[in-house]
Amino acid sequence: MFLAVRELKHSKLRFLLIGLIMILITCLVFIISGLAEGLSADNGSSIQNMNTDALVLQSDVDKRLDRSVLSEKKLDEIRDLGIDAVPLGQKMASAIREGTDRKMDATFFATWAESFLVPPVVEGKSLDPDRPDGVLVDEKLKREEGLRLHDVLQDEVSGEKLRVIGFTSGQTFSHTPVIYVTTQKWAKIQPSGASNLYNAVAVRGKADAVKKIETSVDGVEAVSKEEALKSIPSYQAEQTSLNMMIAFLFVIAAFVLAVFFYVITLQKTQQFGVLKALGANTGYLAGNLIGQVILIATVSIAVGVGGTFAMNALFPAGIPFALDTGMILQYSALLLGVAVAGSLLSLVRVAKVDAMEAIGRVD
């Protein structure tokens, strides 16, 4: 590392430019990754955070929650197997805040008031079977629409009134906030004659319980939360596009860094030759080169991560953006690996430097 540090001190501008490029690449990778994670959460955080092991859907509906229709009879058949199961109704709708004419897009999730599907409340009270008009609302509606506790919403289609009794967090579906309603209220906002129909049955149990359902109950299939999430319309298209962009960024980073370090190594061919003539072996020179790359990459990645959070603070409030510690560590390690891999081409050049030839050119 002695040679690496001395070179960094003497060629500050050169390495500052390399560091700047890597900082920009790091920022771009984490911004796109944050947007991908944010869009993923905005599209299906209600499924991701759902307290269930599997969802039982109607078979042959491509595992889509919105296409599935199950009757109470199917729910009873599953519960008769001794499995902990509750109904789940889902409906995209528009709600109107009482006293205004402003429409708010939302997704209704219906279940029993005391079931394990009801998410934790961050403000107010949870669903109450004795207050069927009470609903839980994701705090996105509070943040973006200014909704408050005890406000009254009206379902646009049925005209049913819903009183906000609590707020939840991380409950969105298909980019809309989720409103949890009781099954009593669900029966009233459903079209006539469909009050005993749900979209899914949420179950808790091990793999054998899920298999038991599929073999004992006709016309249903059990899917994991991940499968249900991926079948949300637009989820796969969004995530695939963004993940491809991230993958290409890593490839571009590898090529850019490989070219930079190779050109720098070419410029130092004579110096390497002199050092070899003085007794420095290839391993020592390679170690210094790798150490230099790791040092530059580590500092650049750290600055890039900090820059990403600084830029996130400037984003408009409505942009979905999420970065967790695990992702930051994983992608940082990957970027560091890409930087080291990009320098391998330079190592080949260092190994091929002939001391006598280099000295001769100096002379």
Side-chain angles (χ1 to χ4, degrees), residues 52 64 81 103 108 122 225 265 289 353:
T52 183
R64 285 184 57 172
L81 297 173
K103 295 181 181 179
F108 287 133
V122 296
K225 290 195 293 183
T265 304
L289 179 62
V353 170

Side-chain angles (χ1 to χ4, degrees), residues 22 250 257 290 293-299 301 330-343:
M22 192 147 190
F250 279 111
L257 293 172
I290 294 294
V293 172
I294 291 175
L295 188 60
I296 295 171
T298 303
V299 174
I301 291 169
Q330 181 185 354
Y331 282 9
S332 295
L334 196 53
L335 280 169
L336 184 60
V338 164
V340 174
S343 67

